[in-house]
Amino acid sequence: MQFVANGPDIPDALLQAHEEGRVVFFCGAGISYPAGLPGFKGLVDEIYRRVGTSRLAIEQEAYERNQFDATLDLLERRLPGNRIPVRQKLAEALKPKWRRKGAADSHEALLELARCRDGSLRLVTTNFDRVFERVGKRPGKAFDAYAAPMLPIPKNSRWNGLVYLHGLLPAKPDDTALNRLVLTSGDFGLAYLTERWAARFVGELFRNYLVCFVGYSINDPVLRYMMDALAADRMLGEFIPQAYALGDCERGQEHAKTIEWAAKGVTPILYEVRSGSHSALHDTLKLWAATYRGGTLGKEGIVVAHALARPSGSTQQDDFVGRMLWAVSDESGLPAKRFADFNPVPALEWLEAFSDQRYLHIDLNRFGVPPRREADDKLRFSLVQRPAPYRHAPWMTIVSGGVGGSQWDDVMFHLARWLARHLNDPALLIWLAQRGGQLHERWTWLIEQQLNRFAQLLREGRTAELDEIRSQSPNAIPSPLMQTIWRLLLTGRVKAPWRELDFYRWKDRLKREGLNTPLRLQLRELLSPKVTLKKPFRWGSEEGTEEATRIKELVDWELVLAADHVRTSLRDLADDQWQTALPAVLDDFQQLLRDALDLLRELGEADDRDDRSYWDLPSITPHWQNRGFRDWVTLIELVRDAWLETRKSAPERARHIALAWFDVPYPTFKRLALFAASQDDVINSEKWVEWLASNNGWWLWSGGTKRETMRLLVLQGSELSPANRATLETVILAGPPRHMYREGLPSGDWESIVGDAVWLRLAKLRESGGLLGQDASLRLESLTAAESRRRLAKDQQDEFSHWMSGTGDPDFESKRRVDIAPRKRADLVQWLKQPQPKMSSFYDEDTWLDTCRTRFFHSLFALCDLASEGIWPAGRWREALQAWSEGILIARSWRHAAPCWPGCLTRLCRRPLTALLG
């Protein structure tokens, strides 16, 4: 995470290791820049200046290769007195400028970061200066110091203090102390290669801790010696944990720098240097230390700072989302609680950040899950969907008597509380549905508690409290429409996208065992109606601001069945065993269909006089217009098939069931009842005429029952008694009630609608073979004479409220209109002069493209003839160019057409090329 904008992005694994006290900071010269102290290169320059000499050729060569330790070694060899004069000038060059602002702030921050929660200090520096000592004199900052070569054993039980790995400048002049400083290549050789006391310390340190280098450059000799020592241990089979380094980088050089650091076995944490300033590093150290010092309060400060921000505003340069995730994930749960209770409530947009699978195998430790040594490169998880630690993980078991999911930690609980303040936001429902829609039992309890609380406040008229809730959480109180969707979710009516309900396995058991009670109950589970939820499609980029009046405006839903691919699965069941079993499950199918229609009513898409069944299943009688686009209508077909089988074995039971259907308050059951009445010897004509005449003939005229009504008139109209026929004709001649149609229709349109409706029903009744009464017969003849288009369709199309047709359908070729382009050139020219018709439907087409593909010059010459007359049909030219690019030109065609080219070019050149291109 980034503590400051444009600062280094500290890996979560390093942050977690630091929280656990497993990190040791290794400090280089870069941390002393604010105090005016130089780096290694600047130190060499300053020593040469103070000694009063210039570099010899051999020294210059080492200097230019950044071998500053070797440069000083060469200098010491040629100066009188060797080491001491150089070391004395070194002490003069490393005097801090204490008056500079923030001279020791980074040192103070590192001392804070290096102090564990138990108070022990573990910090290493290769600097010689005494800035840390100055900070250590402040109240509460005292520490023990270890100067080389007297180093402690780097273990928790043996080390508590600051280690000056390469020595410390003496407080008073002391040539012996200066002589012990590890400064030149010879000193490094003794410390790391010959005597190896520094190498042993570094090797043991890396085995016991995770090391983070601060203030080193990529070419620092100190870093080179340490990593070479570790490389030797690795070659001997020693396990060395990964090291990190906070390193500077110029813009655009990130990739190259990463490779250079990785070559040294170090993971870089890069930050950009701007105008020579390393402020990004020093500001990061200070804020990191302040946050660490504050503990959970420091993380709560991050929550307070960014809770009201929009995560979409987070950038690579200022990744405040990373800061928030690091803070909220604290295992104490207190920052998450602060986030959940924050007023006004943080935006739901944070949920996308919390569900981002940004965590990897290396992050398992921070969530209390000890990782295996073998890294799982495929592991990805998020804050709200992650592996459970031991104390929350469920048992592995063959059989379970309770909840199989893991228990929540405090972080998850408080995030759920925050989500419960967004119950009126459809985005939350969509997010839940996309991830399975099966709520954790604890969150179900939280939501129900909230809903109960709101309902109680509303019942008791405590509007002030409700207004206060809305002021802090505008989407906390769900609207009635949103409450409907929450009811479906809480009762398990939302279908999980990956829940496995295998219909094929059920079929295998049916074939093996036959239908029994467990199988019948399982079939009910497989066929139970469910709802899928997804984001609604909206035109344009703006969200609607008006209050929703339909659930479809909030979420796009679809009624489905619990099992997938039910229709295709049932095709294999058309055998005697299945047919025999159907009557036994008729009641189950009826109840499932009723449940599906009740769900539609709950969703606002069905009532006593209208449902969507006639759209999804246009005909109860099997017909090719039943496209099978929706699986839920399979329930209607199953009820139909089970009733037909019941009629064969128990006709009286079938009759009673059909009579009861008409009393069920949904058009679907009315359609089933009318379908049953159209079968011979099931329902007497007096009863079904009564049905059609009830409620001012609603079901006679309704588009939802049109198909079944028309079939009934055709198949059973001839069986009407004179009295029943007269009753039915009276209802038909009265025409449909005006309130069944929208207001504002012109009088002419209304008369046409009534005439068409009356004519169709009288015509269908006459088609049954019966005789019409005098009034009905005269009205039918007058209506037929008034409109020549009033003719019964041969394919029963006029019985449907809507009709679909396409390639492969029985009526497709009869509707297909193809305009054939002439083959003779003169006729083709005249054909092209005609206005290109607008295609009224996908059935309209012509053969112009085929002519262009197969007869290149024939089409070209025709267009050229038009060009010579000043006629440029741009649409035809574009189609021709497309077809010519797709067609194959035969070589001899070019040869035979050669004499015609001058004429073609002449015709074409009479018009500008821009006209050709349209």
Side-chain angles (χ1 to χ4, degrees):
M1 60 165 278
Q2 287 177 305
F3 284 93
V4 297
N6 297 302
D9 189 0
I10 312 297
D12 288 350
L14 177 59
L15 291 170
Q16 181 62 24
H18 176 253
E19 292 281 338
E20 297 169 358
R22 296 187 293 111
V23 173
V24 169
F25 290 94
F26 227 108
C27 307
I31 67 167
S32 297
Y33 287 165
L37 298 184
F40 208 167
K41 180 179 180 181
L43 180 62
V44 171
D45 294 338
E46 186 65 16
I47 289 174
Y48 270 90
R49 188 185 68 81
R50 290 178 180 273
V51 170
T53 185
S54 59
R55 288 184 286 274
L56 301 180
I58 189 172
E59 296 168 0
Q60 183 65 27
E61 183 180 350
Y63 179 84
E64 291 176 354
R65 291 200 303 267
N66 294 326
Q67 295 176 348
F68 307 121
D69 56 327
T71 305
L72 291 177
D73 189 72
L74 292 170
L75 175 63
E76 285 187 347
R77 291 182 187 181
R78 72 179 175 90
L79 288 180
N82 294 336
R83 297 166 64 90
I84 298 304
V86 173
R87 310 287 166 128
Q88 291 173 344
K89 300 304 179 184
L90 167 69
E92 296 175 6
L94 291 181
K95 291 183 178 179
K97 298 177 176 60
W98 297 113
R99 292 185 178 181
R100 285 195 175 185
K101 183 180 180 181
D105 285 356
S106 294
H107 294 74
E108 186 174 357
L110 284 164
L111 283 172
E112 190 71 53
L113 290 170
R115 198 172 296 277
C116 300
R117 296 297 185 191
D118 61 4
S120 59
L121 177 74
R122 286 184 282 273
L123 182 64
V124 180
T125 181
T126 55
N127 297 341
F128 309 130
D129 61 68
R130 301 186 63 85
V131 180
F132 277 118
E133 298 297 313
R134 176 75 171 257
V135 175
K137 294 178 181 179
R138 298 174 183 175
K141 304 295 182 181
F143 58 85
D144 294 331
Y146 305 87
M150 307 300 292
L151 302 180
I153 297 175
K155 293 183 179 180
N156 287 351
S157 60
R158 310 291 293 276
W159 178 22
N160 180 7
L162 170 61
V163 171
Y164 290 95
L165 183 62
H166 292 166
L168 173 66
L169 289 173
K172 299 179 181 180
D174 185 346
D175 292 347
T176 302
L178 290 175
N179 197 48
R180 288 198 297 264
L181 299 179
V182 180
L183 178 63
T184 66
S185 58
D187 298 329
F188 280 106
L190 287 172
Y192 287 93
L193 300 177
T194 306
E195 297 178 357
R196 285 187 55 81
W197 50 266
R200 284 192 295 271
F201 177 86
V202 170
E204 190 69 20
L205 177 71
F206 270 79
R207 276 187 287 272
N208 296 326
Y209 300 96
L210 194 155
V211 174
C212 180
F213 294 102
V214 185
Y216 291 94
S217 67
I218 189 88
N219 296 314
D220 198 308
V222 176
L223 198 64
R224 183 178 71 247
Y225 282 109
M226 281 190 291
M227 300 316 294
D228 286 346
L230 291 176
D233 286 341
R234 284 196 180 96
M235 291 181 64
L236 295 175
E238 295 283 351
F239 171 73
I240 306 297
Q242 183 65 54
Y244 293 89
L246 287 156
D248 60 333
C249 178
E250 298 292 336
R251 179 174 295 183
Q253 299 297 315
E254 292 84 2
H255 181 66
K257 284 286 187 180
T258 300
I259 294 176
E260 288 185 55
W261 279 104
K264 295 180 179 293
V266 178
T267 298
I269 307 171
L270 301 177
Y271 62 91
E272 185 179 343
V273 177
R274 296 189 174 186
S275 302
S277 172
H278 294 261
S279 60
L281 169 64
H282 299 287
D283 291 345
T284 293
L285 292 175
K286 286 184 285 186
L287 281 176
W288 188 357
T291 304
Y292 177 67
R293 181 172 57 249
T296 56
L297 289 177
K299 295 180 179 179
E300 288 184 43
I302 293 176
V303 170
V304 171
H306 302 294
L308 297 183
R310 293 285 181 175
S312 56
S314 182
T315 63
Q316 184 177 0
Q317 292 74 28
D318 185 14
D319 182 19
F320 63 80
V321 167
R323 294 198 285 278
M324 178 68 86
L325 285 171
W326 177 71
V328 170
S329 62
D330 184 80
E331 66 177 355
S332 69
L334 295 177
K337 182 177 185 298
R338 186 64 177 268
F339 181 82
D341 294 333
F342 198 84
N343 287 323
V345 62
L348 187 64
E349 188 180 340
W350 279 105
L351 182 56
E352 288 301 319
F354 294 155
S355 56
D356 180 22
Q357 293 187 335
R358 61 188 291 154
Y359 300 114
L360 309 175
H361 180 270
I362 195 174
D363 299 304
L364 286 172
N365 250 330
R366 63 174 299 197
F367 293 103
V369 182
R372 297 178 303 175
R373 175 165 291 190
E374 302 81 13
D376 183 359
D377 296 333
K378 296 182 179 179
L379 180 64
R380 298 287 189 279
F381 59 95
S382 67
L383 184 60
V384 294
Q385 187 178 26
R386 48 190 161 91
Y390 166 76
R391 62 185 180 277
H392 296 301
W395 285 59
M396 182 184 296
T397 176
I398 293 177
V399 60
S400 172
V403 179
S406 66
Q407 299 302 305
W408 279 356
D409 58 14
D410 291 337
V411 173
M412 194 72 78
F413 173 72
H414 291 302
L415 290 180
R417 289 180 51 242
W418 163 66
L419 290 175
R421 300 177 69 186
H422 292 275
L423 297 184
N424 196 44
D425 196 328
L428 175 58
L429 285 168
I430 294 168
W431 185 88
L432 293 171
Q434 290 173 342
R435 286 156 180 80
Q438 307 300 308
L439 305 185
H440 191 280
E441 61 172 2
R442 199 172 180 189
W443 202 42
T444 300
W445 176 83
L446 276 174
I447 295 172
E448 289 177 343
Q449 287 289 100
Q450 285 286 76
L451 295 177
N452 291 338
R453 176 190 172 207
F454 298 147
Q456 181 179 359
L457 292 176
L458 188 62
R459 285 195 307 270
E460 296 174 0
R462 294 154 68 179
T463 56
E465 293 184 40
L466 291 172
D467 291 341
E468 176 63 21
I469 293 172
R470 292 189 182 97
S471 67
Q472 301 297 343
S473 306
N475 276 325
I477 305 175
S479 66
L481 293 179
M482 287 294 293
Q483 289 183 37
T484 297
I485 310 175
W486 280 112
R487 282 196 297 270
L488 297 177
L489 196 64
L490 294 173
T491 55
R493 286 293 107 191
V494 175
K495 183 175 179 178
W498 49 77
R499 188 181 179 191
E500 295 184 3
L501 290 177
D502 194 344
F503 204 93
Y504 295 97
R505 189 180 303 170
W506 182 89
K507 290 195 305 182
D508 292 339
R509 292 185 62 192
L510 177 67
K511 293 177 181 179
R512 183 176 69 248
E513 306 169 10
L515 185 67
N516 51 44
T517 299
L519 274 184
R520 182 176 63 81
L521 295 176
Q522 187 183 16
L523 180 62
R524 291 187 61 167
E525 182 181 357
L526 291 167
L527 298 179
S528 61
K530 300 276 187 177
V531 175
T532 60
L533 305 177
K534 59 183 179 181
K535 187 176 182 179
F537 174 79
R538 301 184 188 277
W539 290 102
S541 58
E542 295 295 329
E543 295 288 336
T545 56
E546 298 181 358
E547 185 175 354
T549 57
R550 297 171 59 242
I551 291 179
K552 281 278 188 181
E553 298 172 15
L554 299 173
V555 294
D556 188 11
W557 58 266
E558 182 180 349
L559 186 64
V560 296
L561 301 180
D564 294 325
H565 315 299
V566 172
R567 181 179 297 274
T568 55
S569 302
L570 287 173
R571 291 174 185 169
D572 301 333
L573 285 178
D575 54 18
D576 293 340
Q577 185 183 28
W578 174 245
Q579 300 300 325
T580 304
L582 280 175
V585 290
L586 174 56
D587 291 340
D588 297 297
F589 291 157
Q590 288 184 114
Q591 186 58 54
L592 289 169
L593 179 57
R594 176 66 185 265
D595 292 344
L597 294 169
D598 285 343
L599 272 180
L600 288 177
R601 181 189 287 269
E602 187 77 6
L603 291 163
E605 296 295 327
D607 54 36
D608 291 357
R609 290 190 168 183
D610 187 27
D611 59 37
R612 54 190 297 170
S613 66
Y614 71 100
W615 281 102
D616 297 340
L617 189 77
S619 175
I620 299 295
T621 305
H623 194 276
W624 63 269
Q625 280 291 298
N626 295 340
R627 301 289 181 157
F629 295 145
R630 301 286 185 268
D631 252 7
W632 80 271
V633 296
T634 305
L635 297 174
I636 304 176
E637 296 174 309
L638 288 172
V639 170
R640 177 200 65 199
D641 295 342
W643 182 84
L644 289 173
E645 290 301 319
T646 302
R647 177 170 171 255
K648 295 176 184 178
S649 58
E652 188 61 23
R653 176 179 176 234
R655 188 178 73 84
H656 285 295
I657 289 173
L659 288 170
W661 279 343
F662 200 82
D663 295 328
V664 179
Y666 289 109
T668 297
F669 281 96
K670 303 291 191 295
R671 296 177 65 197
L672 286 167
L674 294 172
F675 163 78
S678 68
Q679 310 300 308
D680 293 336
D681 302 324
V682 176
I683 296 175
N684 60 59
S685 59
E686 182 179 359
K687 190 63 177 178
W688 62 260
V689 168
E690 177 187 335
W691 288 348
L692 295 180
S694 62
N695 296 318
N696 293 323
W698 182 275
W699 304 114
L700 173 67
W701 306 106
S702 172
T705 55
K706 182 179 179 181
R707 165 65 174 171
E708 284 64 47
T709 299
M710 296 302 104
R711 283 291 86 203
L712 176 59
L713 294 178
V714 171
L715 296 176
Q716 298 299 322
S718 60
E719 303 300 322
L720 288 169
S721 65
N724 291 330
R725 178 180 297 277
T727 301
L728 182 58
E729 288 178 357
T730 300
V731 177
I732 294 175
L733 291 174
R738 181 64 183 83
H739 66 269
M740 293 184 69
Y741 296 85
R742 64 180 177 86
E743 298 292 336
L745 281 174
S747 58
D749 292 347
W750 171 242
E751 292 174 1
S752 178
I753 289 172
V754 172
D756 289 342
V758 171
W759 174 85
L760 178 61
R761 283 149 183 79
L762 291 176
K764 290 294 180 180
L765 191 57
R766 187 174 64 180
E767 186 183 11
S768 68
L771 296 176
L772 296 178
Q774 183 177 2
D775 293 342
S777 180
L778 291 174
R779 183 71 183 279
L780 177 62
E781 291 175 2
S782 65
L783 290 172
T784 304
E787 293 284 354
S788 59
R789 58 180 174 79
R790 288 172 177 157
R791 297 287 185 270
L792 289 178
K794 295 180 180 180
D795 56 3
Q796 302 176 4
Q797 179 177 345
D798 48 15
E799 297 183 0
F800 291 82
S801 59
H802 63 281
W803 187 263
M804 295 178 288
S805 189
T807 304
D809 288 333
D811 66 338
F812 178 70
E813 290 299 328
S814 64
K815 289 191 173 186
R816 189 168 177 236
R817 296 191 296 272
V818 181
D819 191 3
I820 300 176
R823 297 184 64 83
K824 292 184 177 181
R825 177 174 165 184
D827 295 337
L828 183 59
V829 170
Q830 296 301 316
W831 184 81
L832 288 171
K833 287 182 179 180
Q834 299 174 5
Q836 188 172 354
K838 294 182 178 179
M839 302 306 178
S840 58
S841 70
F842 59 86
Y843 298 114
D844 298 315
E845 59 181 280
D846 58 43
T847 61
W848 170 243
L849 285 174
D850 290 332
T851 300
C852 295
R853 291 190 188 100
T854 58
R855 298 168 64 84
F856 173 77
F857 286 104
H858 182 68
S859 57
L860 175 61
F861 294 156
L863 289 172
C864 290
D865 288 340
L866 288 177
S868 64
E869 299 179 23
I871 301 174
W872 288 82
R876 294 299 189 187
W877 270 105
R878 282 192 293 270
E879 292 173 348
L881 290 171
Q882 174 190 349
W884 294 338
S885 65
E886 298 171 357
I888 300 174
L889 304 180
I890 303 174
R892 64 178 183 177
S893 297
W894 291 92
R895 185 172 63 253
H896 293 316
C900 304
W901 273 110
C904 290
L905 293 175
T906 301
R907 293 183 177 89
L908 287 173
C909 290
R910 290 178 182 173
R911 299 286 290 180
L913 185 60
T914 53
L916 169 64
L917 298 177

